[in-house]
Amino acid sequence: MNTPIGLFDSGVGGTTIWRTLVRLLPYEDTLFLADSIHAPYGEKTSEEIIALCEKNTEYLLEHNSKLIIVACNTATTNAISHLRAKYKVPFIGIEPAIKPAGLYSQTKTIGVLATQSTLRSAFFARTCQQLFDKGIHVIKQEGVGLVPLIEEGRINTPEMIELLEKYLQPMIEQNMDYLVLGCTHYPYLTSLISEILPEKVRIMDSAEAVAKQTQRILSQNQLLTENKATPSHLWLTNKNVEILQSFAPTGVQVHYENF
Ligand code: DGL
């Protein structure tokens, strides 16, 4: 089917998922919504997050999305069951990759950096319990303040480094050997984080898993495009076009839209 894959996030973070997705599915059209006017979702209640997810979903459906990727851990962990119950389109969600990290961990201690609303969700608590039952210790750290700085384009700044050191140091001291990036904004911090972490700590995110699951679901539902021409990629923001543009590779159209 030659209609776009829709994606949304509270802001620019979803573009980290988009990048991996288009590498795996190079002929698919995409339509990405950065709901930056409402970022951060991570400090909102589940009810507020659900309402924002409905708004984004309805916009993507009105623009013919054949499948929707909830490119946000906070939105997925708080709203995906609700979205699946309410709308017919297939949804792909993203959750912190603590299961694979727990599987590979030698020290049986992993860390997860994510938003407050993700770490406090019932959805995340269930996955955490499964790891606890297998003897894996999960250190949870809320990344308060990181998303607003990324949304302002202030990534390589002293404030960012100070926050990351404050959050990561206690996790390092507890002997974690995997750090899970549980927010789609955080892959933009990978090089700063690598400078703080000891070499033995591996960094993990879920982008690859999401892209593969999208390919699988499109194929199962016979929704893969038949097009072999250059695809169209449209990124929309309801806040600052220059900021979103600064994250966009060539070939992506970036516009303001009041969704
Ligand atoms: N990018 C989001 C996530 O994956 C949410 C960030 C936020 O708005 O707090 O959790």
Side-chain angles (χ1 to χ4, degrees), residues 8-14 16-17 35 38-44 49 70-77 94 96 113-118 143 146-148 151 181-187:
F8 73 84
D9 178 40
S10 61
V12 301
T16 61
I17 303 297
D35 192 14
H38 297 110
Y41 280 14
E43 290 164 26
K44 297 191 182 338
I49 296 167
V70 182
C72 173
N73 294 260
T74 311
T76 300
T77 52
I94 176 163
L113 188 61
T115 71
Q116 296 169 60
S117 303
T118 294
L146 301 178
V147 167
E151 283 293 314
L181 302 183
C183 169
T184 54
H185 282 70
Y186 299 167

Side-chain angles (χ1 to χ4, degrees), residues 22-254:
V22 299
R23 270 201 301 273
L24 190 68
L25 296 167
Y27 299 113
E28 297 290 340
D29 290 348
T30 63
L31 170 58
F32 167 65
L33 303 183
D35 192 14
S36 294
I37 197 99
H38 297 110
Y41 280 14
E43 290 164 26
K44 297 191 182 338
T45 63
S46 287
E47 289 70 28
E48 289 169 327
I49 296 167
I50 288 171
L52 291 168
C53 289
E54 286 188 355
K55 164 189 76 70
N56 298 334
T57 297
E58 282 165 24
Y59 185 94
L60 290 171
L61 290 177
E62 278 158 23
H63 293 81
N64 301 322
S65 299
K66 59 183 172 185
L67 171 146
I68 294 179
I69 302 180
V70 182
C72 173
N73 294 260
T74 311
T76 300
T77 52
N78 284 274
I80 196 126
S81 342
H82 176 90
L83 295 174
R84 287 191 171 126
K86 181 156 178 179
Y87 303 98
K88 282 208 185 81
V89 68
F91 284 95
I92 308 292
I94 176 163
E95 59 174 312
I98 58 172
K99 275 194 198 160
L103 201 67
Y104 300 134
S105 173
Q106 299 290 312
T107 61
K108 304 284 174 228
T109 304
I110 63 169
V112 54
L113 188 61
T115 71
Q116 296 169 60
S117 303
T118 294
L119 296 179
R120 293 178 194 177
S121 66
F123 189 106
F124 181 77
R126 275 195 297 278
T127 320
C128 240
Q129 182 63 42
Q130 292 169 13
L131 270 85
F132 181 80
D133 294 343
K134 291 186 179 132
I136 311 290
H137 175 45
V138 181
I139 312 164
K140 304 179 208 71
Q141 176 61 56
E142 296 177 358
V144 182
L146 301 178
V147 167
L149 284 176
I150 299 168
E151 283 293 314
E152 288 168 20
R154 290 160 64 202
I155 293 178
N156 285 302
T157 58
E159 303 97 284
M160 183 68 89
I161 294 169
E162 200 178 312
L163 280 179
L164 288 173
E165 278 173 348
K166 182 169 100 186
Y167 296 151
L168 297 174
Q169 209 49 50
M171 303 170 95
I172 296 168
E173 281 160 21
Q174 290 177 72
N175 201 23
M176 67 168 175
D177 60 354
Y178 275 85
L179 173 69
V180 175
L181 302 183
C183 169
T184 54
H185 282 70
Y186 299 167
Y188 285 121
L189 305 177
T190 300
S191 58
L192 291 178
I193 291 176
S194 309
E195 279 176 31
I196 299 172
L197 293 179
E199 243 173 64
K200 67 154 194 165
V201 183
R202 316 268 302 252
I203 301 174
M204 213 168 204
D205 68 50
S206 316
E208 200 67 43
V210 169
K212 285 193 179 140
Q213 178 67 355
T214 304
Q215 186 182 44
R216 206 172 299 134
I217 297 297
L218 286 176
S219 158
Q220 271 170 20
N221 291 282
Q222 274 126 37
L223 290 173
L224 285 163
T225 184
E226 294 101 41
N227 254 345
K228 291 280 180 281
T230 309
S232 120
H233 297 302
L234 179 58
W235 290 6
L236 300 176
T237 175
N238 49 20
K239 199 170 176 194
N240 185 325
V241 184
E242 287 74 33
I243 297 261
L244 186 60
Q245 183 78 61
S246 71
F247 289 90
T250 344
V252 173
Q253 295 179 62
V254 184

